[in-house]
Amino acid sequence: MHPKLSRVARRILCCGRNASGDDLTDERNGSIRWVFSLRELRSATNSFNYDNKIGEGPLGSVYWGQVWEGSQIAVKKLKDARNGTEVEFASEVETLGRVRHKNLLSLRGYCADGAERVLVYDYMPNSSLFAHLHGTHSSECLLDWRRRTFIAIGAARALTYLHHHVTPPIIHGSIKTTNVLLDSDFQAHVGDFGLLRLISNEMDHDKIIGDNQRGYHAPEYIMFGKPTTGCDVYSFGIILLELTSGRKPVEKSGAQKLYGIRNWMLPLAKEGRYDEIADSKLNDKYSESELKRVVLIGLACTQREPEKRPTMLEVVSLLKGESKEMLSRLENEELFRPDSTASSLGMSTPEGSSDCILKSEQGLAEA
């Protein structure tokens, strides 16, 4: 190991802002393996075998792996990483190493070997929110309403931490259901935060907002290519709409025309037809008041005008039902009036944007 690289790694472990030693400890084996060799990661992933691949996106491919002491890891090989030395890459990764929150995917280490730039994370045994809503686990119906509300609040807390409690704030820039990972208890862990700073400035913008991201990006990001906290709020709003309806951000309607989840849901919400919004896989086992609340928050987050969207701090408070006054104001906004046409089908958005039975508020209040 390069001596300077070693010093950077040690600095990451001891200088995390607002993080105790316990925060930086892997609960399963009592320590973090910060610097991994490429040889070790090849061994863990069977030489990055296709059978080990568990995900792929515009920023890189992810592989399941198992290290020598038996713990499981998720290994992300970055595409189009910034040119630079191993020390420069380690310095960039340092920020990610300092950021610790129970709802963020823990970064266990990295590898910078030659041209390879690899990040190593905790492995999440319950895969991603996408897999349970739309993918390989969707037919198993493991996400009841209580789990969905806990996932929503957990992911919201993670983004609140990035936006409001990290200095300087971190804009995620790639919020989507594939980046909401689920542990053995179905607790949400938001992954891929901070990766935009590791990617080359020359990476094609269209590649970042391509099919893998269709429906999640705010109109202003698609138009101008500059991510903001408001863009993250928009993307999170789309996730809330997915959680309530089970629909994808963009689906095909007649004549193969793409139709955004927001444009489908807003007229139903205005007319109070929330039973038509609810995911059929819930089998009517949900709190009507909670589902209505989550739908309203999701639609408020996905307003076309960034200044009208709530902050993530406000989103967490709304999801938990902590402010009845704020919720009442939200319900009475012009957006949700039956005679309102604002932000409805008439206002198109750029391609790529989208537009047990619980008898009480317990599901959200306890999260």
Side-chain angles (χ1 to χ4, degrees):
M1 185 193 308
H2 193 287
K4 290 184 179 179
L5 196 63
S6 177
R7 287 198 295 274
V8 169
R10 286 197 297 270
R11 189 167 68 250
I12 295 170
L13 290 178
C14 69
C15 297
R17 191 180 76 85
N18 293 335
S20 66
D22 291 338
D23 294 326
L24 294 174
T25 298
D26 188 297
E27 294 179 357
R28 290 163 302 183
N29 59 24
S31 65
I32 284 181
R33 281 291 319 283
W34 189 247
V35 182
F36 289 78
S37 69
L38 186 58
R39 179 178 179 180
E40 183 177 11
L41 295 181
R42 281 175 175 160
S43 175
T45 61
N46 193 20
S47 297
F48 299 103
N49 193 289
Y50 178 81
D51 291 337
N52 288 57
K53 184 180 285 190
I54 55 177
E56 184 168 9
L59 305 183
S61 300
V62 184
Y63 299 83
W64 173 86
Q66 190 169 34
V67 291
W68 64 272
E69 90 282 2
S71 64
Q72 299 179 79
I73 56 175
V75 182
K76 189 177 189 80
K77 291 184 69 178
L78 295 179
K79 299 176 183 176
D80 299 308
R82 293 181 186 271
N83 294 326
T85 66
E86 297 175 5
V87 175
E88 290 169 335
F89 179 74
S91 296
E92 289 290 341
V93 175
E94 180 174 347
T95 298
L96 305 184
R98 289 177 173 175
V99 178
R100 295 274 161 175
H101 186 275
K102 69 177 183 178
N103 293 115
L104 290 172
L105 185 63
S106 295
L107 180 62
R108 295 184 61 170
Y110 71 95
C111 172
D113 190 332
E116 295 286 358
R117 298 293 181 263
V118 187
L119 299 175
V120 181
Y121 295 96
D122 285 340
Y123 173 71
M124 294 288 107
N126 271 316
S127 190
S128 68
L129 182 56
F130 176 90
H132 287 274
L133 289 178
H134 315 301
T136 54
H137 299 299
S138 59
S139 62
E140 300 173 34
C141 300
L142 297 176
L143 295 186
D144 59 15
W145 181 246
R146 183 180 296 274
R147 281 180 173 170
R148 294 185 195 214
T149 58
F150 285 1
I151 289 168
I153 292 177
R157 284 171 168 162
L159 290 177
T160 298
Y161 182 75
L162 294 177
H163 290 182
H164 300 281
H165 301 292
V166 175
T167 305
I170 293 178
I171 296 169
H172 191 293
S174 187
I175 298 296
K176 52 189 175 180
T177 50
T178 53
N179 280 338
V180 179
L181 290 305
L182 306 174
D183 65 17
S184 57
D185 296 320
F186 285 89
Q187 179 168 261
H189 297 258
V190 174
D192 274 7
F193 61 91
L195 290 198
L196 290 180
R197 64 183 292 151
L198 300 177
I199 302 302
S200 171
N201 291 329
E202 298 177 359
M203 185 175 183
D204 189 353
H205 176 67
D206 291 337
K207 187 185 297 184
I208 296 178
I209 64 171
D211 288 343
N212 190 267
Q213 285 281 118
R214 191 181 299 277
Y216 287 105
H217 279 311
E220 69 270 20
Y221 181 57
I222 295 170
M223 294 172 66
F224 305 114
K226 182 177 176 59
T228 64
T229 55
C231 294
D232 281 353
V233 172
Y234 183 99
S235 301
F236 181 75
I238 295 297
I239 289 180
L240 292 182
L241 303 186
E242 289 181 82
L243 278 168
T244 54
S245 69
R247 289 189 171 225
K248 293 181 179 180
V250 176
E251 295 186 344
K252 291 181 179 179
S253 60
Q256 300 298 303
K257 184 178 180 180
L258 294 177
Y259 200 70
I261 188 173
R262 186 178 189 276
N263 286 343
W264 167 77
M265 192 177 292
L266 183 57
L268 295 175
K270 288 180 178 181
E271 297 175 13
R273 294 155 60 188
Y274 293 97
D275 58 329
E276 297 179 39
I277 290 174
D279 188 351
S280 61
K281 292 194 291 292
L282 290 169
N283 294 316
D284 294 326
K285 297 179 180 179
Y286 59 88
S287 163
E288 293 183 7
S289 61
E290 288 183 3
L291 183 130
K292 175 183 177 180
R293 186 197 309 171
V294 176
V295 168
L296 293 178
I297 297 168
L299 290 171
C301 288
T302 54
Q303 294 185 83
R304 184 180 179 87
E305 300 86 351
E307 65 276 7
K308 292 184 179 180
R309 299 171 199 155
T311 67
M312 287 310 304
L313 274 172
E314 293 171 329
V315 168
V316 171
S317 181
L318 285 166
L319 284 173
K320 291 177 65 63
E322 293 174 343
S323 175
K324 302 296 183 182
E325 181 181 349
M326 189 187 303
L327 182 62
S328 178
R329 289 202 307 268
L330 179 61
E331 290 185 84
N332 292 319
E333 282 190 3
E334 182 183 0
L335 175 66
F336 302 116
R337 294 174 189 166
D339 59 346
S340 170
T341 57
S343 298
S344 189
L345 293 176
M347 294 186 65
S348 61
T349 55
E351 183 180 359
S353 65
S354 171
D355 278 348
C356 73
I357 304 179
L358 300 179
K359 297 293 187 181
S360 66
E361 297 289 304
Q362 193 173 20
L364 285 173
E366 290 182 353

